[in-house]
Amino acid sequence: MNALKAFTDYLILEKNYSALTVKAYTSDLAGFSEFLRDEYNSEEVCNTNYSEIRSWIVYLVEQHISNRSINRKISSLNSYFKFLLKVGAIESNPLSKHRALKTNKKVQVPFSKMEIDKVLDEFVFDESFEGIRDKLIIELFYSTGIRRIELVNLRLNNINLQSKTLKVIGKRNKERILPLLDCTLETINRYLECRNNMEDKMDKEHLFLTRKGVKINETLVYRIINNYFSKASSKVKKSPHILRHSFATHLLNQGADLNAVKELLGHSSLAATQVYTHNSISELKKVHVKAHPRSKK
């Protein structure tokens, strides 16, 4: 069997990676293979050495590819070598001693509660299928903290109106149950009524559809969030992830337990959740200074 085909099967069947993740891995490997062909007249990734990989890194830097993106490409390559090592196709990993390029940590600025209230409480959504759908999308992001791909893949049977919960299939097919707020349930019922009245529903299973009756896509979801929040916020980045970030930050600011937020977000480790704590720390400082008896001394 072709080594690359065996690797992609391994990512899908054993690692339970999503189709988008597998596509990113194969794209990175194809890029390196193309570089080997152009520079070394070879496409044998299995037989490459660190010197050739380092030349590829230099080439990517010269193409003004960010260090973050380069690190991701090298990570894909490293995963491939680890797989080849595991199946006995190579004797050593040429990236075993490689150090990732330094990157500047991006500070994600969440929406303020005022900005979110402005969109959800002050902005008038159209009483159309799309208007109600858009409001529900925003409410779900902010009230549950789900990821964009998780929202896109939601099915009708993921909603339990009786228990007021939402079943979400996260990374590596991990399932988690999220509580739904009463205000969100009201919007869900309004949306379901509109959805049921659609004449042309090509997709019968997924929750969120386009006006043409097909499953919504990630690009449209991004545009919806960016469009509404452009009217309420001057922040540079206005995306579904910033809403997820706002969900976590606001919960922590209100004293929510870090482990509880970790479970809601579907993180596998606390380290992933702790990136959201920098804003809650600033809030705690304000409370501390305001309330502590010796703060004025």
Side-chain angles (χ1 to χ4, degrees), residues 93-143:
N93 181 351
L95 281 169
S96 60
K97 296 183 179 180
H98 173 74
R99 287 189 174 186
L101 302 180
K102 291 184 178 180
T103 59
N104 294 321
K105 289 188 177 181
K106 293 183 178 179
V107 177
Q108 302 281 5
V109 181
F111 296 121
S112 67
K113 285 186 280 187
M114 187 181 297
E115 288 171 331
I116 290 173
D117 288 344
K118 187 172 183 179
V119 171
L120 289 175
D121 297 335
E122 297 180 25
F123 191 82
V124 179
F125 289 82
D126 291 340
E127 285 298 316
S128 61
F129 167 77
E130 288 182 308
I132 296 171
R133 178 203 64 192
D134 293 355
K135 184 174 185 183
L136 178 56
I137 286 173
I138 295 169
E139 284 195 17
L140 275 181
F141 275 131
Y142 184 57
S143 65

Side-chain angles (χ1 to χ4, degrees), residues 10-64:
Y10 166 75
L11 294 179
I12 295 169
L13 301 174
E14 291 194 39
K15 302 294 283 184
N16 287 324
Y17 285 173
S18 69
L20 284 174
T21 300
V22 174
K23 185 179 179 181
Y25 272 77
T26 53
S27 175
D28 293 336
L29 291 172
F32 180 60
S33 179
E34 184 180 344
F35 174 80
L36 288 178
R37 185 184 65 237
D38 293 343
E39 294 295 321
Y40 297 97
N41 197 29
S42 169
E43 292 184 34
E44 294 297 322
V45 176
C46 299
N47 299 326
T48 193
N49 55 54
Y50 187 65
S51 176
E52 292 169 343
I53 297 172
R54 189 169 54 197
S55 296
W56 186 43
I57 294 172
V58 171
Y59 167 77
L60 293 172
V61 170
E62 290 174 345
Q63 297 301 305
H64 305 293

Side-chain angles (χ1 to χ4, degrees), residues 84-189:
L84 294 176
L85 202 60
K86 182 178 181 179
V87 298
I90 59 175
E91 295 182 359
S92 62
N93 181 351
L95 281 169
S96 60
K97 296 183 179 180
H98 173 74
R99 287 189 174 186
L101 302 180
K102 291 184 178 180
T103 59
N104 294 321
K105 289 188 177 181
K106 293 183 178 179
V107 177
Q108 302 281 5
V109 181
F111 296 121
S112 67
K113 285 186 280 187
M114 187 181 297
E115 288 171 331
I116 290 173
D117 288 344
K118 187 172 183 179
V119 171
L120 289 175
D121 297 335
E122 297 180 25
F123 191 82
V124 179
F125 289 82
D126 291 340
E127 285 298 316
S128 61
F129 167 77
E130 288 182 308
I132 296 171
R133 178 203 64 192
D134 293 355
K135 184 174 185 183
L136 178 56
I137 286 173
I138 295 169
E139 284 195 17
L140 275 181
F141 275 131
Y142 184 57
S143 65
T144 67
I146 61 175
R147 300 178 178 94
R148 175 168 47 165
I149 187 63
E150 293 171 345
L151 180 135
V152 166
N153 288 331
L154 284 176
R155 296 175 180 272
L156 286 168
N157 60 12
N158 289 149
I159 300 172
N160 189 321
L161 295 174
Q162 282 68 44
S163 64
K164 300 181 180 181
T165 57
L166 180 71
K167 181 171 73 174
V168 175
I169 309 300
K171 289 184 176 180
R172 303 186 186 182
N173 288 326
K174 289 183 179 179
E175 180 183 303
R176 66 188 190 279
I177 305 297
L178 302 176
L180 291 169
L181 300 174
D182 287 340
C183 58
T184 306
L185 282 168
E186 289 178 17
T187 311
I188 287 174
N189 284 320

Side-chain angles (χ1 to χ4, degrees), residues 254-271:
Q254 294 296 326
D257 178 70
L258 189 62
N259 276 298
V261 176
K262 165 185 169 289
E263 294 302 318
L264 289 169
L265 292 171
H267 285 160
S268 57
S269 70
L270 269 180

Side-chain angles (χ1 to χ4, degrees), residues 106-116 142 229 233-251 253 275-280 282-283:
K106 293 183 178 179
V107 177
Q108 302 281 5
V109 181
F111 296 121
S112 67
K113 285 186 280 187
M114 187 181 297
E115 288 171 331
I116 290 173
Y142 184 57
F229 278 90
S233 173
S234 59
K235 289 182 173 63
V236 174
K237 192 169 183 181
K238 296 174 278 287
S239 68
H241 182 72
I242 297 299
L243 263 179
R244 174 174 161 87
H245 185 45
S246 305
F247 162 82
T249 301
H250 295 172
L251 281 181
N253 285 348
V275 299
Y276 300 108
T277 61
H278 70 278
N279 290 295
S280 60
S282 65
E283 288 295 317

